[in-house]
Amino acid sequence: MDGCKKYSIQDENALLKRELTDLRRERDKYKRLFDTSADALSIIDLKTGKFVECNDAALAMHGVSSEQDFLQLSPADLSPEFQPCGTRSTELAKTYISESVAKGAQLFQWVHSRLDGTTFQCLVSLSAFETPGTTQVLAIGRDISDIIQSKEAVTRANSEIEKYESVIQLQQERFRAFVEQAPVGIAINRINDGSFVSVNEEFTKFSGYSVDEINELSYWELTPSKYEEEEAKQLELLNTVGRYGPYQKEYIHKDGYCYPVLLSGVKIENEDGVPLIWSVIQDVTEQEKVEQELRQAKAQAEKANEAKSIFLSNMSHEVRTPMNGVLGMLQVLEREALPDKSKRLVSTAIFSAKTLLRILNDILDYTKIESHSLSLETTEFSIERTIESILSNELPKANEKAVKVTIDYQSTMPKFWFGDAVRVRQVFMNLISNAVKFTRQGSVDIQLMAEQRKDKCGLVFSIVDSGVGMNKRALKTLFDRFTQADVSTTREFGGTGLGMSITHELVTLMGGRIDVSSDEGVGTKFVVFLPLLPSSNDLDATPEPAKTAVPDLSGRIILLAEDNSINQEVVKSMVADTKAMLHVVSNGQLAIEAYHRYKPDIVLMDIQMPIMDGAKACQLIKKRYNDAHIIAITANVMEQEVQSYLDSGFDGHLGKPFEISALFALLAQRLS
């Protein structure tokens, strides 16, 4: 009995050991599954509300460094304060946990947070189970942020596809409407035989055929046979580059006559891969009545422009001739010993005469610019001397109004530049003169500097005045020809409205830029950039301008051929103090006879004279006396006119009206 009982206990112990081993093996298996699961697994003790176990996936998902740290947390620590539904996370979590105990496993979407504060979407499963002395809940979490983003992306893509399909459908409808309503013919033909696939309404209008009739025709039935060679070239273009035209030819109308059309086209394929030609056809019959009219209008405009140039030339000559008498006599009178009051009156008259002369020069410059006959020269010039020569004329006007004029040269700026010195001076003179003229009080500040703009080196000229200024409307038309700010400006300050237009044209012609800003009643600022080349020269080798001293021409003989008696008196008065012998004749024939008789050292020859003009007289004198020295002295000052005089044999030119200093300089140079 005792032996049997002992055996039974041993067997029972062995059985218990085996069962314990199996239990441990099963426990280890589930532990390994728990630890190695890709899903985040954690166990919550409902009694304490704390985590009692977690796997590595849970640590990684929530950004927790160790299991020990994780077990110090509660579920509330791994969730934001509120869920997307608006309920507090703690309240909603209690609900789900309670239901997992009461109703069984719960599966729901949840927003979790990491320790760094970032949040992510998660799919959570809660399962409650009993353990000795408490109830625990297994929480399984899976980060579904990527799935949600992918789903949202798919939703957006589907939405975009629907939108694009809608847009494409709309565009197709619009395109069909455009083709039908287009003011030009549109046709699609098969390349192999030229048959029409479709045409729009406009094509039927100018061809004379209905749509049904056209569908029975081919392209070749509308094309005259004389275009066969050209058509082959266009087809070759179509095959090599995929398009042809623009190509002008003729079509045959349904009624049998030919009419001009302009075609362009591209090669396309239909849904079956059949090659087609898509052509745009324009009936240019009306366009050719219009082009003819434009050609006629252009010819008329050119004639009108030529007539205008002739008129301006004649007007200039007619005005300059009496102006020579006025300005010439005033200059002679200015050299006389006059009372102070008389000197002021003469000085004012000379200023007025020069102002009128400047207006004439502006008109001629405008004509040159308009006819594109204004050319630029390139010489080395001193910028400081250019500004000083302008200020010598403008400072007296500024001083009369107590307007302070300052000038500032950049210390590192080159003193000499290469460019058209005459036109640069004209630009600066117009701007300085205007600044002084339109400034009643205050100041005119001038600044010059060298500047690099992009790849261009150049000279920057800025001038700021405290004058009357301009409003926005005036600024818009500032560079328009024959316009000024308003009628009151013209009344008070005068002018033709050409100066700023010419300035703008000259700056543009030199490849520069002019900018202006202004406030009415405050003042104006101009900034001009001229892309000139600086010179390395630092010394001014240019001779000083000739003084107006009277040259001593004792023993010299001067012959003047001039039919205008007033201008005869002007020259007589001007050369009286030179001690030269002056002989005066009134036409070219008498000039030839006088040359034979007196053998003058120089001839001052007018051009437009009765019996024989100056040009003919010059040729005849030069033919016999090739060393004759003949100067054209005329009111014809257009560039092409002056050049024609030099080409015909004249040795120089002096335009009327001329200043006495210019005459003295010419005589001194030629006769010294």
Side-chain angles (χ1 to χ4, degrees), residues 240-267:
T240 54
V241 299
R243 58 181 176 80
Y244 76 93
Y247 162 43
Q248 186 160 343
K249 55 173 283 189
E250 290 176 313
Y251 265 176
I252 302 172
H253 193 271
K254 181 180 179 180
D255 294 338
Y257 65 86
C258 293
Y259 58 98
V261 291
L262 183 67
L263 297 92
S264 297
V266 294
K267 185 178 181 180

Side-chain angles (χ1 to χ4, degrees), residues 30-44 51 53-59 61-62 70 125 137-142:
Y30 285 109
K31 177 63 175 175
R32 284 194 298 274
L33 289 173
F34 183 91
D35 289 338
T36 60
S37 172
D39 289 328
L41 304 180
S42 59
I43 297 175
I44 306 168
F51 291 107
E53 198 168 349
C54 68
N55 67 351
D56 290 341
L59 298 179
M61 189 172 76
H62 292 288
F70 192 92
S125 170
V137 175
L138 173 66
I140 303 174
R142 179 174 295 177

Side-chain angles (χ1 to χ4, degrees), residues 414-547:
K415 293 182 178 179
F416 294 88
W417 298 79
F418 289 100
D420 193 317
V422 174
R423 296 306 177 183
V424 171
R425 184 182 190 279
Q426 187 175 356
V427 168
F428 293 169
M429 181 179 68
N430 282 345
L431 294 175
I432 294 174
S433 176
N434 269 7
V436 172
K437 179 168 69 171
F438 290 107
T439 302
R440 299 189 184 95
Q441 60 182 5
S443 63
V444 173
D445 300 313
I446 303 168
Q447 187 179 42
L448 290 104
M449 66 181 69
E451 187 173 297
Q452 184 82 17
R453 292 191 179 181
K454 294 183 179 179
D455 59 341
K456 292 183 179 179
C457 174
L459 179 67
V460 175
F461 171 89
S462 68
I463 180 166
V464 181
D465 66 62
S466 59
V468 296
M470 290 172 280
N471 56 32
K472 291 183 179 180
R473 182 185 61 81
L475 275 175
K476 288 182 179 179
T477 60
L478 177 63
F479 298 123
D480 293 348
R481 295 165 181 169
F482 305 109
T483 61
Q484 288 198 323
D486 53 39
V487 176
S488 63
T489 301
T490 307
R491 289 198 194 102
E492 181 175 357
F493 299 103
T496 60
L498 275 176
M500 291 311 302
S501 172
I502 292 172
T503 299
H504 182 268
E505 295 283 0
L506 288 176
V507 170
T508 303
L509 189 62
M510 287 186 274
R513 177 184 176 89
I514 181 169
D515 296 296
V516 57
S517 58
S518 185
D519 290 315
E520 194 168 14
V522 177
T524 302
K525 178 179 181 179
F526 283 94
V527 178
V528 177
F529 173 76
L530 296 177
L532 307 177
L533 291 176
S535 169
S536 58
N537 181 23
D538 196 41
L539 297 175
D540 191 353
T542 308
E544 289 290 330
K547 305 296 183 182

Side-chain angles (χ1 to χ4, degrees), residues 82-373:
F82 293 95
Q83 288 297 308
C85 63
T87 305
R88 288 184 181 276
S89 296
T90 52
E91 296 177 2
L92 193 58
K94 288 179 181 179
T95 301
Y96 281 127
I97 291 173
S98 298
E99 291 186 353
S100 70
V101 174
K103 300 179 180 179
Q106 299 292 308
L107 183 65
F108 53 91
Q109 191 170 318
W110 188 261
V111 175
H112 266 307
S113 63
R114 301 183 181 91
L115 291 186
D116 62 5
T118 58
T119 60
F120 58 96
Q121 295 282 348
C122 194
L123 186 65
V124 177
S125 170
L126 297 181
S127 301
F129 59 93
E130 296 292 334
T131 60
T134 186
T135 301
Q136 295 182 333
V137 175
L138 173 66
I140 303 174
R142 179 174 295 177
D143 186 345
I144 58 171
S145 299
D146 291 342
I147 297 175
I148 291 176
Q149 290 176 1
S150 299
K151 182 179 179 182
E152 291 174 349
V154 170
T155 302
R156 287 195 301 270
N158 288 334
S159 177
E160 288 295 313
I161 291 172
E162 291 177 359
K163 182 173 69 174
Y164 285 128
E165 287 177 345
S166 176
V167 170
I168 291 172
Q169 183 178 358
L170 177 61
Q171 292 300 329
Q172 288 176 337
E173 292 174 357
R174 287 178 176 174
F175 185 72
R176 281 193 292 269
F178 163 76
V179 169
E180 285 305 315
Q181 300 174 19
V184 294
I186 297 176
I188 298 178
N189 299 82
R190 291 186 178 86
I191 289 182
N192 60 349
D193 60 5
S195 59
F196 285 96
V197 175
S198 67
V199 296
N200 68 345
E201 185 66 25
E202 183 66 20
F203 189 93
T204 65
K205 291 179 181 178
F206 60 71
S207 68
Y209 293 96
S210 67
V211 173
D212 292 338
E213 290 173 327
I214 290 174
N215 288 336
E216 299 298 322
L217 300 173
S218 78
Y219 173 83
W220 306 109
E221 292 178 86
L222 300 183
T223 301
S225 58
K226 64 181 180 180
Y227 291 100
E228 183 176 342
E229 183 178 345
E230 185 60 34
E231 289 287 346
K233 294 179 182 178
Q234 298 300 322
L235 282 173
E236 180 64 23
L237 275 176
L238 196 67
N239 289 323
T240 54
V241 299
R243 58 181 176 80
Y244 76 93
Y247 162 43
Q248 186 160 343
K249 55 173 283 189
E250 290 176 313
Y251 265 176
I252 302 172
H253 193 271
K254 181 180 179 180
D255 294 338
Y257 65 86
C258 293
Y259 58 98
V261 291
L262 183 67
L263 297 92
S264 297
V266 294
K267 185 178 181 180
I268 62 173
E269 290 184 354
N270 65 7
E271 59 276 8
D272 298 324
V274 176
L276 305 172
I277 306 176
W278 178 297
S279 299
V280 175
I281 308 101
Q282 183 179 359
D283 182 357
V284 294
T285 305
E286 185 176 346
Q287 180 179 330
E288 285 192 346
K289 290 172 187 170
V290 174
E291 289 181 355
Q292 178 63 24
E293 290 175 356
L294 288 176
R295 284 191 289 269
Q296 293 175 352
K298 181 182 178 183
Q300 292 174 353
E302 289 173 348
K303 288 182 180 179
N305 194 48
E306 182 180 359
K308 180 183 68 177
S309 297
I310 295 173
F311 167 76
L312 287 173
S313 177
N314 291 337
M315 182 193 74
S316 173
H317 180 275
E318 293 303 317
V319 175
R320 283 174 181 275
T321 298
M323 270 292 296
N324 191 56
V326 174
L327 186 58
M329 287 302 189
L330 286 172
Q331 291 179 93
V332 172
L333 187 58
E334 187 181 35
R335 301 176 70 85
E336 298 293 327
L338 298 173
D340 290 343
K341 181 178 180 180
S342 298
K343 279 186 175 294
R344 286 196 301 272
L345 293 175
V346 171
S347 178
T348 301
I350 289 176
F351 174 79
S352 299
K354 288 183 177 179
T355 300
L356 179 57
L357 184 59
R358 184 174 173 183
I359 292 173
L360 281 174
N361 290 334
D362 279 349
I363 293 174
L364 291 181
D365 279 342
Y366 157 71
T367 304
K368 292 175 186 176
I369 291 170
E370 190 179 54
S371 62
H372 305 289
S373 61

Side-chain angles (χ1 to χ4, degrees), residues 1-19:
M1 292 292 292
D2 291 337
C4 292
K5 184 177 181 181
K6 186 177 180 181
Y7 177 78
S8 176
I9 291 173
Q10 290 176 343
D11 289 343
E12 198 171 313
N13 285 337
L15 178 62
L16 288 173
K17 287 180 181 180
R18 284 196 301 273
E19 288 179 351

